[in-house]
Amino acid sequence: MENTIIYLKRCKAMAKILVAGEIPQKGLELLSKDHLVEVFTGEKLITEAELKERIKDKDALLSLLSTSVTKEVIDQAPHLKIIANYGAGFNNIDFDYAASIGIPTTNTPIASTAATADLTFSLLLASARRVVEGDEVCRTVGFNGWAPLYFRGREVSGKTIGIVGFGQIGQAVAKRAAAFDMKVLYTSPSRKSPQVENALNATYVSFEELVAESDFITINCSYNPTMKHMFSTRQFEMMKSTAYLINCARGPIVDEAALIKALEEKQIEGAGIDVFEFEPEISEGLKNLKNVVLTPHIGNATFEARDAMANMAAGNIVKVLNGEAPSYVINGVVKETILV
């Protein structure tokens, strides 16, 4: 079969595992120790049609965040015992349907925390201090020398940061903000304990207050369909004209057309975007703007994080195939013993 690598190790009870794209070697080594592993290696993402064909005889699926695992895909795999998603998100999987037929779905949280928080601050600093713009100038037209009014940006130190979503990543962003003496506001579905707030010097506020009061807004929440276009025309009108929006969460949280308009009309000063509404497509309007820094969904793209994610996803598959309960189950299907 084209676009396939087969990892084969003979063992007493060999299971068949499909890995929907290439992952770090550490994860493959863990899976192939006792099982037959098939890895999709195509230059483009695996299609739903090809996924349906390859999954028919598989006992486990290691899906990528970019792999659409629909009900129709799941129905093609009568032997499927687990879907292990390589990514902290899981909106690419019909996990409710998987739960209805007893298939646990897992993700890889925590491993992404430091890397994503680092990138959040990278985009914040790069956009505020016009780093990418400056790099382009240096590589093209050059500059005439230091001047008082030349290439001014915004200081980050002492400003107010508003963090949307205060889970592991949001709290990690708050820790980094402390180094810049920033005032930390946050909004979240539930308020954190006084101990957490005090440790991070963070203040819980309403979403509306956060939008209106923050100099920098970072989106670090998980995604569900009710959050689509949480940031749209109304929110950009509420923001300070000197404010910056940073999104390292999920693209559909931001109305991309409204963001482009807000940046073009200087309703807000800038943005840093790692995820896109129509990903992997990026709106031409964003590409044409100087006051936005764009990165290609690399929030957790570090050697350390990606290795840890591979180990977590592969480890959950191994647990299930050994009759053990997996970790980080997101659809409520946890069994002490899972028959193989």
Side-chain angles (χ1 to χ4, degrees):
M1 187 182 295
E2 293 183 3
N3 300 327
T4 302
I5 297 176
I6 299 291
Y7 292 83
L8 178 60
K9 292 289 182 69
R10 296 291 177 184
C11 67
K12 186 176 179 180
M14 185 183 299
K16 294 181 179 180
I17 303 166
L18 175 62
V19 180
E22 295 183 88
I23 65 171
Q25 189 65 27
K26 288 185 177 182
L28 297 176
E29 289 173 355
L30 181 58
L31 292 174
S32 62
K33 182 178 180 181
D34 293 314
H35 303 291
L36 175 62
V37 181
E38 178 184 321
V39 183
F40 177 76
T41 61
E43 290 185 6
K44 295 184 178 180
L45 300 176
I46 191 169
T47 65
E48 183 168 335
E50 187 155 20
L51 183 58
K52 285 180 179 178
E53 183 61 32
R54 289 172 179 260
I55 204 173
K56 286 180 179 179
D57 63 342
K58 300 302 187 292
D59 299 287
L61 170 65
L62 195 155
S63 54
L64 308 188
L65 190 61
S66 53
T67 310
S68 181
V69 186
T70 62
K71 174 183 181 296
E72 291 73 24
V73 168
I74 296 170
D75 282 340
Q76 294 297 310
H79 308 298
L80 196 64
K81 299 169 181 65
I82 178 174
I83 302 168
N85 210 39
Y86 186 101
F90 42 83
N91 55 301
N92 57 307
I93 299 172
D94 191 340
F95 53 86
D96 285 332
Y97 178 68
S100 74
I101 57 175
I103 299 174
T105 301
T106 65
N107 67 336
T108 57
I110 303 175
S112 301
T113 299
T116 306
D118 285 352
L119 185 71
T120 296
F121 243 86
S122 297
L123 288 173
L124 189 155
L125 290 166
S127 56
R129 294 305 308 272
R130 302 172 65 183
V131 172
V132 175
E133 243 187 300
D135 180 84
E136 183 182 5
V137 165
C138 289
R139 295 174 187 273
T140 54
V141 297
F143 65 108
N144 295 324
W146 185 92
L149 302 183
Y150 183 62
F151 237 89
R152 290 180 296 174
R154 294 288 172 184
E155 288 192 12
V156 173
S157 298
K159 298 295 176 60
T160 297
I161 184 172
I163 303 172
V164 179
F166 213 58
Q168 294 286 338
I169 296 173
Q171 291 177 40
V173 171
K175 290 178 182 178
R176 286 151 178 76
F180 290 84
D181 297 319
M182 300 183 84
K183 177 182 178 182
V184 178
L185 307 179
Y186 80 93
T187 190
S188 189
S190 60
R191 184 170 182 172
K192 303 304 176 184
S193 68
Q195 291 83 357
V196 170
E197 291 186 347
N198 291 337
L200 297 172
N201 197 26
T203 302
Y204 177 78
V205 296
S206 68
F207 176 64
E208 290 74 17
E209 184 176 349
L210 182 146
V211 169
E213 296 298 323
S214 299
D215 298 299
F216 298 92
I217 297 174
T218 71
I219 306 175
N220 300 109
C221 53
S222 58
Y223 178 75
N224 65 65
T226 65
M227 301 169 70
K228 183 175 182 180
H229 290 183
M230 176 187 288
F231 282 87
S232 191
T233 302
R234 179 172 175 270
Q235 287 70 41
F236 295 128
E237 290 174 347
M238 293 169 60
M239 288 170 65
K240 296 179 179 179
S241 61
T242 55
Y244 288 75
L245 179 71
I246 312 299
N247 187 10
C248 285
R250 286 294 176 267
I253 293 174
V254 177
D255 180 344
E256 217 157 86
L259 173 62
I260 292 168
K261 183 174 184 291
L263 290 167
E264 287 176 339
E265 297 181 359
K266 302 296 190 294
Q267 287 180 319
I268 64 173
E269 195 160 87
I273 307 296
D274 184 52
V275 289
F276 305 92
E277 184 174 0
F278 309 106
E279 194 170 314
E281 299 300 322
I282 302 174
S283 298
E284 288 299 320
L286 284 177
K287 296 178 188 178
N288 295 331
L289 289 166
K290 296 289 187 183
N291 56 342
V292 58
V293 177
L294 307 175
T295 51
H297 201 153
I298 57 171
N300 55 29
T302 63
F303 290 101
E304 296 86 352
R306 293 288 170 87
D307 280 352
M309 292 164 67
N311 285 336
M312 291 171 72
N316 276 327
I317 288 175
V318 170
K319 284 181 180 179
V320 168
L321 295 178
N322 286 339
E324 302 170 12
S327 303
Y328 309 115
V329 178
I330 55 90
N331 64 345
V333 181
V334 180
K335 303 177 183 179
E336 289 302 319
T337 301
I338 299 176
L339 299 178
V340 179

